[in-house]
């Protein structure tokens, strides 16, 4: 296991899977999605998992984030073994440590961008003022300072995904999971999203784990894991400096 | 706190409107039903509630005012012997056959022969003193305004009851009866109208006590003496509720009220819960996202319950406002409607219960908000 290049990282990986197996049974049919998979993900990096459709990327993400139970093996997130936690404890773990960005934006139609971001913070036990300050900060960070009052119906697709990122970011999580965050967006917007995720990893020291089969994103990741049939096929690091998105799109 | 439940309710009011209407109509229906039943059956105890007597004396086994049989007038002296009693007065109930000046055919009327003196107890609460005094005139009667058309008379006109000529000297309000028409006259007039040879005394004796609060004790004390022939006693409150209960249960109206309440509850709950479930399902991915971010299921349930509460509260508000308008309208049309505090509370309880049940049903569909389903 190599250490991350220029970024100081903790000795322990933020996320570790050890011989994780997961199968789905529907009726007579049994699908082995993950078969004895092991990996480590470092903090303060943007790690991209890519691979063909149906190879188990999303399943891996849900297992690593504690949204699904595994059949065998161990998942260690920030030193806690997720398999040992009950439903309540898992909810508490996610509340304190994890953020999610999904393919769909999943924003409440009735709430303004600002309220979407503030809402989860209300449940973290911080004061109203702190929640609002944090919500404002993270919306500014994704470049939506001037869009805070708008509802989802008044936002573009890219803006909606940025609100979703701000919602996850405002919690200041150690772990940020993103499943196909760009697949509903055009190239330019997708570019912007991956740039933001990358920046979050580097400026906040967040462990960002992103799943995508979009080949354009590969060059933006610090590390790329290629997956096929429930196994990691290759583990590649991008030592090349991150290319500015404007140069790519032109 | 971001008020998710309320903001969603306001922003998507169209989606919640059916639930609010269902709750509102359920409440309104229930309110009007109770008010009508209380109004109609309450009028069966008008003789008691409209009078200032504290204790009633009548024939044993009497179930409602209209079913009394005559008792010995001398019982009055026994009643007066009790130091708690201040005044005793006779009340004569006669079933009459009314013939109006125009050919209207026979009509069944309830003739109430009362003491027309100024301190008379019977109907003292509903009959203005000036009108009451006019009853002293022989063969004078007073009828309710709402019955005029049916009786086919006007003020100052003559008619006959049981073949005896009577004269309308006054028109009053709030004297409507159930199953017949009330006609008020003096005891003397009533005796002349009465053509039942078995009647040889008053139907009731009514007594006023020095301390009305003692009605229950005094009624019990006066009971059970048979020296003057059979009679029994009730406090006014007991006799009134006996009367109303007799009507409610003898006519099956009570069962009808409960039955309709059940139906209203069921239909209201089905519509409301379906609407709330649809609203939850419409936001199920957003709820799942919140849960992925660590917002507990309990907190999400509270959002759904709060929505149900607001739907109930708004429905109730609508039902209340519309109900008051309709009740006032009914009053102005002489439709007997009465609403008391327990009845209103029962309506509120029914509506909030309906909303709560629907909220609980909708909460169940939160189980579909599994964050794992967002990762595919
Ligand atoms: N809840 C489930 N029940 C049954 N089978 C499932 C379930 N979830 C996933 N699978 C199966 O597991 C396999 C991997 O699914 P997964 O969603 O992880 O793929 P993926 O790599 O994310 O694909 P894509 O790139 O298309 O999103 C698929 O064959 C899918 O049919
Ligand atoms: Mg997937």
């Amino acid at each position: 296991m190599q250490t991350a290049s220029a970024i100081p990282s903790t000795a322990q990986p933020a996320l570790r899977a050890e011989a994780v197996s997961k199968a789905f049974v529907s009726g007579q049919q049994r699908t082995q999605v993950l078969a004895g998979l092991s990996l480590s993900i470092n903090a303060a990096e943007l790690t991209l998992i890519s691979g063909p459709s149906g190879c188990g990327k999303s399943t891996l993400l849900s297992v690593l984030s504690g949204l699904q139970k595994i059949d065998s093996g161990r998942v260690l997130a920030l030193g806690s073994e997720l398999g040992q936690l009950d439903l309540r404890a898992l909810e508490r773990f996610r509340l304190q440590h994890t953020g999610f960005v999904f393919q769909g934006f999943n924003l409440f139609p009735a709430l303004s961008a600002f309220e979407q971001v503030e809402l989860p913070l209300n449940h973290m036990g911080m004061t109203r003022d702190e929640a609002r300050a944090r919500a404002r900060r993270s919306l500014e960070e994704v470049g939506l300072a001037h869009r805070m009052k708008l509802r989802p119906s008044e936002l573009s697709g890219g803006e909606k995904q940025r609100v979703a990122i701000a919602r996850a970011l405002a919690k200041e999580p150690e772990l940020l999971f993103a499943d196909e965050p760009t697949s509903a967006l055009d190239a330019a917007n997708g570019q912007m999203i991956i740039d933001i995720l990358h920046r979050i990893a580097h400026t906040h020291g967040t462990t960002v784990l992103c799943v995508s089969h979009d080949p354009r994103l590969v060059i933006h990741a610090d590390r790329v894991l290629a997956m096929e049939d429930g196994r990691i096929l290759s583990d590649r690091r991008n030592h090349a400096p991150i290319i500015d998105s404007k140069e790519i799109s032109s | 706190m971001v008020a998710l439940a309320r903001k969603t309710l306001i922003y998507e009011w169209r989606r919640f409107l059916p639930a609010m209407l269902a709750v509102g109509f359920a409440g309104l229906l229930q309110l009007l039903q109770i008010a009508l039943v209380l109004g109609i059956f309450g009028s069966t105890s008008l003789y008691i509630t409209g009078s200032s007597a504290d204790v009633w004396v009548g024939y044993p086994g009497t179930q409602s005012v209209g079913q009394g049989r005559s008792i010995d007038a001398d019982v009055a002296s026994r009643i007066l012997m009790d130091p708690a009693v201040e005044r005793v007065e006779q009340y004569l109930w006669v079933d009459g056959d009314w013939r109006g000046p125009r050919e209207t055919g026979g009509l069944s009327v309830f003739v109430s022969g009362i003491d027309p003196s100024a301190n008379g107890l019977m109907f003292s609460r509903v009959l203005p003193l000036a009108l009451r005094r006019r009853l002293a005139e022989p063969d004078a009667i007073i009828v309710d305004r709402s019955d005029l058309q049916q009786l086919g008379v006007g003020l100052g006109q003559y008619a006959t009851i049981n073949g005896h000529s009577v004269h309308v000297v006054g028109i009053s309000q709030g004297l409507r009866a159930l199953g017949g028409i009330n006609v008020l006259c003096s005891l003397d007039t009533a005796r002349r109208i009465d053509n039942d040879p078995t009647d040889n005394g008053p139907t009731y004796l009514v007594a006023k006590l020095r301390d009305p609060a003692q009605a229950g004790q005094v009624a019990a004390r006066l009971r059970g003496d048979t020296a003057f022939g059979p009679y029994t006693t009730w406090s006014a409150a007991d006799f009134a509720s006996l009367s109303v209960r007799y009507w409610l249960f003898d006519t099956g109206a009570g069962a009808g009220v409960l039955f309709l309440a059940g139906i209203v509850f069921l239909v209201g709950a089905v519509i409301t819960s379906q609407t709330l479930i649809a609203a939850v399902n419409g936001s199920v991915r957003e709820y799942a996202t919140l849960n992925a971010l660590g917002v507990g299921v309990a907190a999400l349930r509270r959002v759904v319950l709060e929505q149900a509460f607001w739907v109930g509260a708004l429905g109730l508000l609508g039902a209340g406002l519309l109900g008051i308008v309709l009740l006032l309208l009914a009053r102005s049309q002489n439709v007997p409607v009465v609403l008391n505090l327990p009845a209103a509370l029962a309506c509120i309880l029914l509506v909030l219960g309906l909303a709560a049940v629907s909220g609980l049903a909708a909460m169940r569909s939160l189980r579909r908000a599994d964050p794992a389903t967002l990762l595919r």
Side-chain angles (χ1 to χ4, degrees):
Chain A
M1 175 77 229
Q2 310 146 285
T3 44
S5 47
I7 302 100
S9 70
T10 44
Q12 241 197 352
L15 271 173
R16 199 162 79 219
E18 293 173 0
V20 166
S21 292
K22 173 83 185 170
F24 289 108
V25 182
S26 48
Q28 297 286 320
Q29 202 176 340
R30 186 185 148 89
T31 325
Q32 189 72 38
V33 183
L34 304 176
L37 182 146
S38 299
L39 58 73
S40 296
I41 312 283
N42 294 335
E45 280 189 350
L46 170 56
T47 306
L48 185 78
I49 300 178
S50 71
S53 180
C55 71
K57 305 183 296 292
S58 298
T59 306
L60 177 61
L61 204 65
S62 70
V63 157
L64 290 177
S65 58
L67 292 182
Q68 270 190 59
K69 293 260 168 231
I70 50 176
D71 300 334
S72 65
R74 291 207 313 161
V75 174
L76 287 154
L78 306 173
S80 309
E81 189 181 341
L82 296 184
Q84 303 284 332
L85 304 180
D86 63 15
L87 213 66
R88 278 286 186 75
L90 273 175
E91 273 177 5
R92 216 165 25 246
F93 180 85
R94 294 203 302 266
L95 186 62
Q96 279 156 7
H97 305 295
T98 67
F100 285 90
V101 178
F102 300 106
Q103 180 179 352
F105 316 124
N106 304 339
L107 301 175
F108 286 99
L111 301 186
S112 69
F114 187 76
E115 289 161 340
Q116 311 270 3
V117 179
E118 187 192 350
L119 181 56
L121 303 182
N122 291 150
H123 295 270
M124 293 181 72
M126 61 182 76
T127 64
R128 203 177 82 149
D129 288 343
E130 192 185 349
R132 295 198 166 172
R134 270 207 203 184
R136 188 165 300 114
R137 232 183 301 135
S138 73
L139 277 165
E140 279 162 5
E141 193 166 340
V142 298
L144 287 178
H146 58 297
R147 287 273 189 271
M148 288 186 197
K149 294 257 153 52
L150 300 186
R151 294 209 175 88
S153 59
E154 300 154 325
L155 294 169
S156 75
E159 287 170 335
K160 279 190 262 202
Q161 192 60 303
R162 280 189 278 159
V163 173
I165 293 178
R167 172 168 65 183
L169 179 64
K171 294 173 68 199
E172 297 177 2
E174 288 99 322
L175 307 171
L176 180 60
F177 298 94
D179 187 27
E180 312 273 9
T182 61
S183 67
L185 304 174
D186 60 36
N189 272 312
Q191 203 75 75
M192 180 183 281
I193 297 302
I194 202 76
D195 279 349
I196 291 172
L197 290 177
H198 191 248
R199 203 171 59 233
I200 289 169
H202 287 247
T203 56
H204 297 268
T206 309
T207 309
V208 182
L209 186 58
C210 179
V211 159
S212 180
H213 55 227
D214 188 345
R216 294 168 304 184
L217 303 185
V218 168
I219 45 167
H220 289 272
D222 297 308
R223 180 184 175 199
V224 180
L225 299 173
M227 201 174 162
E228 216 174 300
D229 281 339
R231 270 174 247 278
I232 304 292
L233 281 191
S234 75
D235 184 346
R236 215 152 37 74
R237 285 198 163 274
N238 277 331
H239 287 292
I242 303 302
I243 306 157
D244 187 45
S245 57
K246 290 190 190 84
E247 289 171 36
I248 290 184
S249 48
S250 57
Chain B
M1 255 334 218
V2 175
L4 178 61
R6 258 175 297 149
K7 294 222 151 118
T8 304
L9 204 68
I10 292 168
Y11 187 75
E12 296 176 40
W13 64 271
R14 261 174 252 267
R15 160 173 260 162
F16 290 95
L17 193 62
M20 286 185 262
L21 288 179
V23 168
F25 275 116
L28 190 64
L29 226 64
Q30 204 53 33
L31 190 83
L32 292 183
Q33 172 182 240
I34 292 188
L36 264 175
V37 164
L38 284 179
I40 291 170
F41 292 95
S43 69
T44 65
S45 64
L46 162 78
Y47 314 92
I48 307 157
T49 53
S51 305
S52 43
D54 303 311
V55 169
W56 281 64
V57 184
Y59 199 83
T62 304
Q63 302 254 20
S64 75
V65 182
Q67 294 184 318
R69 291 172 55 181
S70 62
I71 56 173
D72 194 331
D74 294 338
V75 173
S77 55
R78 161 75 186 86
I79 305 297
L80 270 173
M81 272 178 347
D82 193 293
V85 175
E86 184 182 316
R87 177 191 162 87
V88 174
E89 141 189 340
Q90 295 190 2
Y91 174 39
L92 185 59
W93 171 290
V94 182
D95 287 319
D97 178 45
W98 170 279
R99 306 269 161 166
R102 281 168 264 148
E103 257 327 300
T104 47
L107 260 177
S108 161
V109 294
F110 305 143
V111 179
S112 284
I114 62 172
D115 187 338
S117 61
N119 54 353
L121 304 175
M122 284 307 297
F123 297 108
S124 64
R125 295 198 175 125
V126 282
L127 194 61
L129 214 59
L131 278 181
R132 182 183 205 92
R133 250 188 243 120
R134 290 191 208 158
L135 285 181
E137 180 189 323
D139 299 333
I141 62 164
I142 289 174
V143 293
D144 191 89
R145 196 215 309 265
S146 60
D147 293 328
L148 284 178
Q149 188 131 37
Q150 217 182 339
L151 292 172
V153 282
L155 188 63
Q157 292 187 308
Y158 288 83
T160 59
I161 300 176
N162 291 348
H164 186 91
S165 177
V166 290
H167 177 207
V168 180
V169 297
I171 289 161
S172 186
Q173 268 190 73
L175 291 177
R176 268 192 132 175
L178 190 64
I181 294 163
N182 277 327
V183 172
L184 266 50
C185 61
S186 68
L187 281 163
D188 290 338
T189 307
R191 280 189 205 107
R192 281 196 292 275
I193 289 172
D194 193 359
N195 53 10
D196 185 346
T198 62
D199 283 356
N200 40 23
T203 323
Y204 299 96
L205 288 167
V206 296
K208 185 172 176 56
L209 304 184
R210 287 177 221 288
D211 176 12
Q214 289 190 320
Q217 293 156 261
V218 175
R221 189 156 77 210
L222 293 174
R223 211 172 290 149
D225 194 335
T226 52
F228 299 99
Y231 75 86
T232 191
T233 54
W234 308 271
S235 71
D238 283 353
F239 196 37
S241 66
L242 187 72
S243 248
V244 173
R245 236 178 305 146
Y246 167 78
W247 276 94
L248 266 181
F249 294 111
D250 192 65
T251 60
V257 168
L258 289 180
F259 182 70
L260 191 57
I263 298 270
V264 162
F265 188 91
L266 203 71
V267 173
V270 166
I271 297 175
T272 308
S273 62
Q274 287 305 313
T275 308
L276 287 174
I277 286 170
V280 170
N281 287 344
S283 294
V284 80
R285 296 182 67 82
E286 286 75 37
Y287 286 126
T289 305
L290 283 187
N291 187 237
L293 291 172
V295 177
V297 176
L300 300 180
R301 287 195 178 136
R302 264 202 302 281
V303 172
V304 175
L305 265 195
E306 194 190 329
Q307 258 165 12
F309 169 79
W310 284 116
V311 164
L314 289 175
L316 203 60
L317 189 75
L321 292 179
L322 202 58
I324 289 171
V325 170
L326 287 178
L327 289 182
L328 289 178
L329 193 74
R331 279 266 169 84
S332 73
Q333 300 300 309
N334 284 320
V335 177
V337 284
V338 170
L339 196 63
N340 52 28
L341 194 65
L345 282 179
C347 282
I348 292 173
L349 223 67
L350 180 105
V351 167
L352 288 184
L354 195 163
V357 165
S358 309
L360 290 176
M363 235 162 65
R364 283 165 50 93
S365 52
L366 267 181
R367 278 189 297 195
R368 295 182 44 215
D370 177 8
T373 60
L374 299 174
L375 290 170
R376 279 292 149 81

